[in-house]
Coordinates of all heavy atoms in Angstrom, one line a residue:
L267 N 131.5 3.0 -65.3 CA 130.3 3.9 -65.3 C 129.1 3.1 -64.8 O 128.3 3.5 -63.9 CB 130.0 4.6 -66.6 CG 128.7 5.5 -66.6 CD1 128.8 6.6 -65.6 CD2 128.5 6.0 -68.1
L268 N 128.9 1.9 -65.4 CA 127.8 1.0 -65.1 C 127.8 0.6 -63.6 O 126.8 0.7 -62.9 CB 127.8 -0.2 -66.0 CG 126.6 -1.2 -65.8 CD1 125.3 -0.5 -66.1 CD2 126.8 -2.4 -66.7
R269 N 129.0 0.3 -63.1 CA 129.2 -0.1 -61.7 C 128.8 1.1 -60.8 O 128.2 0.9 -59.8 CB 130.6 -0.5 -61.4 CG 130.9 -1.9 -61.8 CD 132.2 -2.4 -61.3 NE 132.6 -3.7 -61.8 CZ 133.5 -3.9 -62.7 NH1 134.3 -2.9 -63.1 NH2 133.8 -5.1 -63.1
A270 N 129.2 2.3 -61.2 CA 128.9 3.5 -60.4 C 127.4 3.7 -60.3 O 126.9 4.1 -59.3 CB 129.7 4.7 -60.9
L271 N 126.8 3.6 -61.5 CA 125.3 3.8 -61.5 C 124.6 2.8 -60.8 O 123.5 3.0 -60.2 CB 124.9 3.9 -63.0 CG 125.3 5.1 -63.8 CD1 125.0 4.9 -65.3 CD2 124.8 6.4 -63.2
M272 N 125.1 1.6 -60.7 CA 124.5 0.4 -60.0 C 124.9 0.3 -58.5 O 124.5 -0.6 -57.8 CB 124.8 -0.9 -60.7 CG 124.1 -1.0 -62.1 SD 124.7 -2.5 -63.0 CE 124.2 -3.8 -61.8
A273 N 125.7 1.2 -58.0 CA 126.3 1.1 -56.7 C 125.2 1.0 -55.6 O 125.3 0.2 -54.7 CB 127.3 2.2 -56.4
P274 N 124.2 1.9 -55.6 CA 123.2 1.8 -54.6 C 122.4 0.5 -54.7 O 122.0 0.1 -55.8 CB 122.3 3.0 -54.8 CG 123.1 4.0 -55.7 CD 124.0 3.1 -56.5
E275 N 122.2 -0.1 -53.5 CA 121.5 -1.4 -53.5 C 120.1 -1.3 -54.1 O 119.6 -2.2 -54.8 CB 121.4 -1.9 -52.1 CG 120.8 -3.3 -52.0 CD 120.9 -3.8 -50.6 OE1 121.9 -3.7 -49.9 OE2 119.9 -4.4 -50.1
E276 N 119.4 -0.2 -53.9 CA 118.1 0.0 -54.4 C 118.1 -0.1 -55.9 O 117.1 -0.6 -56.5 CB 117.5 1.4 -54.0 CG 117.4 1.6 -52.5 CD 118.7 2.1 -51.9 OE1 119.5 2.7 -52.6 OE2 119.0 1.7 -50.7
R277 N 119.1 0.5 -56.6 CA 119.1 0.4 -58.0 C 119.3 -1.0 -58.5 O 118.7 -1.4 -59.5 CB 120.2 1.4 -58.5 CG 119.9 2.8 -58.4 CD 120.9 3.7 -59.0 NE 120.7 5.1 -58.7 CZ 121.5 6.1 -58.9 NH1 122.7 5.8 -59.4 NH2 121.2 7.3 -58.6
R278 N 120.2 -1.7 -57.8 CA 120.4 -3.1 -58.3 C 119.2 -3.9 -58.1 O 118.8 -4.7 -58.9 CB 121.6 -3.7 -57.5 CG 123.0 -3.1 -58.0 CD 124.1 -3.7 -57.2 NE 124.2 -3.0 -56.0 CZ 124.7 -3.5 -54.9 NH1 125.2 -4.7 -54.8 NH2 124.7 -2.7 -53.8
L279 N 118.5 -3.7 -57.0 CA 117.2 -4.5 -56.7 C 116.2 -4.1 -57.8 O 115.5 -5.0 -58.3 CB 116.7 -4.2 -55.3 CG 117.5 -4.8 -54.2 CD1 117.0 -4.2 -52.9 CD2 117.4 -6.3 -54.2
Y280 N 116.1 -2.8 -58.2 CA 115.2 -2.4 -59.2 C 115.5 -3.1 -60.6 O 114.7 -3.6 -61.3 CB 115.2 -0.9 -59.4 CG 114.4 -0.4 -60.5 CD1 113.0 -0.3 -60.4 CD2 115.0 -0.1 -61.7 CE1 112.3 0.2 -61.5 CE2 114.3 0.4 -62.8 CZ 112.9 0.5 -62.7 OH 112.2 0.9 -63.8
L281 N 116.8 -3.1 -60.9 CA 117.2 -3.7 -62.2 C 117.0 -5.2 -62.2 O 116.6 -5.8 -63.2 CB 118.7 -3.4 -62.4 CG 119.1 -2.0 -62.7 CD1 120.6 -1.8 -62.7 CD2 118.5 -1.5 -64.0
V282 N 117.2 -5.9 -61.0 CA 116.9 -7.3 -61.0 C 115.4 -7.5 -61.1 O 115.0 -8.4 -61.9 CB 117.4 -7.9 -59.6 CG1 116.8 -9.3 -59.4 CG2 118.9 -7.9 -59.6
A283 N 114.6 -6.7 -60.5 CA 113.1 -6.8 -60.6 C 112.6 -6.6 -62.1 O 111.6 -7.1 -62.5 CB 112.4 -5.8 -59.7
R284 N 113.4 -5.8 -62.8 CA 113.1 -5.5 -64.2 C 113.6 -6.5 -65.2 O 113.5 -6.3 -66.4 CB 113.5 -4.1 -64.6 CG 112.9 -3.0 -63.7 CD 111.5 -2.8 -64.0 NE 111.2 -2.3 -65.3 CZ 110.1 -2.2 -65.9 NH1 109.0 -2.6 -65.2 NH2 110.0 -1.8 -67.1
G285 N 114.3 -7.6 -64.7 CA 114.7 -8.6 -65.6 C 116.2 -8.6 -66.0 O 116.6 -9.3 -66.9
L286 N 117.0 -7.9 -65.2 CA 118.4 -7.8 -65.6 C 119.1 -9.1 -65.5 O 120.0 -9.4 -66.3 CB 119.1 -6.7 -64.7 CG 120.6 -6.5 -65.0 CD1 120.8 -6.0 -66.4 CD2 121.2 -5.6 -64.0
L287 N 118.8 -10.0 -64.5 CA 119.5 -11.3 -64.4 C 119.4 -12.1 -65.7 O 120.4 -12.6 -66.1 CB 119.0 -12.0 -63.2 CG 119.3 -11.5 -61.8 CD1 118.7 -12.4 -60.8 CD2 120.8 -11.4 -61.6
S288 N 118.2 -12.1 -66.2 CA 118.0 -12.9 -67.4 C 118.8 -12.3 -68.6 O 119.5 -13.1 -69.4 CB 116.5 -12.9 -67.8 OG 116.3 -13.6 -69.0
G289 N 118.7 -11.0 -68.8 CA 119.5 -10.4 -69.8 C 120.9 -10.5 -69.7 O 121.7 -10.7 -70.6
L290 N 121.4 -10.4 -68.4 CA 122.8 -10.6 -68.2 C 123.3 -12.0 -68.5 O 124.4 -12.2 -69.1 CB 123.1 -10.2 -66.7 CG 124.5 -9.9 -66.3 CD1 125.2 -8.9 -67.2 CD2 124.5 -9.5 -64.8
C291 N 122.5 -13.0 -68.1 CA 122.8 -14.4 -68.4 C 122.9 -14.6 -70.0 O 123.8 -15.3 -70.5 CB 121.9 -15.3 -67.8 SG 122.0 -15.4 -66.0
D292 N 122.0 -14.0 -70.7 CA 122.0 -14.0 -72.1 C 123.3 -13.4 -72.7 O 123.9 -14.0 -73.6 CB 120.8 -13.4 -72.8 CG 119.5 -14.1 -72.5 OD1 119.6 -15.3 -72.1 OD2 118.4 -13.5 -72.6
L293 N 123.7 -12.3 -72.2 CA 124.9 -11.6 -72.6 C 126.1 -12.4 -72.3 O 127.1 -12.5 -73.1 CB 125.1 -10.2 -72.0 CG 124.2 -9.1 -72.5 CD1 124.3 -7.9 -71.6 CD2 124.6 -8.8 -73.9
I294 N 126.2 -13.1 -71.1 CA 127.3 -13.9 -70.8 C 127.4 -15.1 -71.7 O 128.5 -15.4 -72.2 CB 127.2 -14.4 -69.3 CG1 127.4 -13.2 -68.4 CG2 128.1 -15.5 -69.0 CD1 127.0 -13.5 -66.9
G295 N 126.3 -15.7 -72.1 CA 126.3 -16.8 -73.0 C 126.8 -16.4 -74.4 O 127.6 -17.1 -75.0
A296 N 126.3 -15.3 -74.8 CA 126.7 -14.8 -76.2 C 128.2 -14.4 -76.2 O 128.9 -14.7 -77.2 CB 125.9 -13.5 -76.6
E297 N 128.7 -13.8 -75.1 CA 130.1 -13.4 -75.1 C 131.0 -14.6 -75.0 O 132.0 -14.7 -75.6 CB 130.3 -12.4 -73.9 CG 131.7 -11.9 -73.9 CD 132.1 -11.0 -75.1 OE1 131.2 -10.6 -75.8 OE2 133.3 -10.7 -75.2
A298 N 130.5 -15.6 -74.2 CA 131.3 -16.9 -74.1 C 131.4 -17.6 -75.5 O 132.5 -18.1 -75.8 CB 130.7 -17.8 -73.1
R299 N 130.3 -17.6 -76.2 CA 130.4 -18.2 -77.6 C 131.3 -17.4 -78.5 O 132.0 -17.9 -79.3 CB 128.9 -18.2 -78.1 CG 128.1 -19.3 -77.5 CD 126.7 -19.5 -78.2 NE 125.9 -18.3 -78.1 CZ 125.1 -18.1 -77.0 NH1 125.1 -18.9 -76.0 NH2 124.4 -17.0 -77.0
R300 N 131.2 -16.0 -78.4 CA 132.1 -15.2 -79.2 C 133.6 -15.5 -78.9 O 134.4 -15.6 -79.8 CB 131.8 -13.7 -79.0 CG 132.6 -12.8 -79.9 CD 132.5 -11.3 -79.5 NE 133.2 -11.1 -78.3 CZ 134.5 -10.9 -78.2 NH1 135.3 -11.0 -79.3 NH2 135.1 -10.7 -77.0
V301 N 133.9 -15.5 -77.6 CA 135.3 -15.8 -77.2 C 135.8 -17.2 -77.7 O 136.8 -17.3 -78.2 CB 135.5 -15.6 -75.7 CG1 136.8 -16.2 -75.2 CG2 135.3 -14.2 -75.3
R302 N 134.9 -18.1 -77.5 CA 135.3 -19.5 -78.0 C 135.5 -19.6 -79.5 O 136.4 -20.2 -80.0 CB 134.2 -20.5 -77.6 CG 134.5 -21.9 -77.9 CD 133.5 -22.9 -77.4 NE 134.0 -24.2 -77.8 CZ 134.2 -25.2 -77.0 NH1 134.0 -25.0 -75.7 NH2 134.5 -26.4 -77.4
T303 N 134.6 -18.9 -80.2 CA 134.7 -18.9 -81.7 C 136.1 -18.2 -82.1 O 136.8 -18.7 -83.0 CB 133.6 -18.1 -82.3 OG1 132.4 -18.8 -82.0 CG2 133.7 -18.0 -83.8
Q304 N 136.4 -17.1 -81.4 CA 137.7 -16.5 -81.7 C 138.9 -17.3 -81.4 O 139.9 -17.3 -82.1 CB 137.8 -15.1 -81.0 CG 137.0 -14.0 -81.7 CD 137.3 -12.7 -81.1 OE1 137.8 -12.6 -80.0 NE2 136.9 -11.6 -81.8
E305 N 138.8 -18.1 -80.3 CA 139.9 -19.0 -79.9 C 140.0 -20.1 -80.9 O 141.2 -20.6 -81.1 CB 139.6 -19.5 -78.5 CG 139.8 -18.5 -77.4 CD 139.5 -19.1 -76.1 OE1 138.9 -20.1 -76.0 OE2 139.8 -18.4 -75.1
E306 N 138.9 -20.6 -81.5 CA 139.0 -21.7 -82.4 C 139.5 -21.3 -83.8 O 140.0 -22.1 -84.5 CB 137.6 -22.3 -82.5 CG 137.2 -23.1 -81.3 CD 135.8 -23.6 -81.3 OE1 135.0 -23.2 -82.2 OE2 135.4 -24.3 -80.4
C307 N 139.4 -20.0 -84.1 CA 139.8 -19.5 -85.4 C 141.3 -19.3 -85.4 O 141.8 -18.6 -84.5 CB 139.1 -18.2 -85.8 SG 137.4 -18.4 -86.2
T308 N 142.0 -20.0 -86.2 CA 143.5 -19.8 -86.2 C 144.0 -18.6 -87.0 O 145.1 -18.2 -86.7 CB 144.1 -21.1 -86.9 OG1 143.6 -21.2 -88.2 CG2 143.9 -22.3 -86.1

Side-chain angles (χ1 to χ4, degrees):
L267 176 61
L268 185 60
R269 281 189 186 112
L271 292 172
M272 291 174 58
E275 185 174 317
E276 301 83 30
R277 289 184 185 169
R278 286 179 281 152
L279 288 171
Y280 174 79
L281 292 170
V282 168
R284 301 292 295 170
L286 181 63
L287 289 179
S288 175
L290 196 52
C291 288
D292 291 343
L293 284 172
I294 289 169
E297 187 64 16
R299 287 187 294 277
R300 186 193 69 78
V301 168
R302 183 175 180 124
T303 299
Q304 282 187 341
E305 287 176 347
E306 290 173 350
C307 292
T308 57

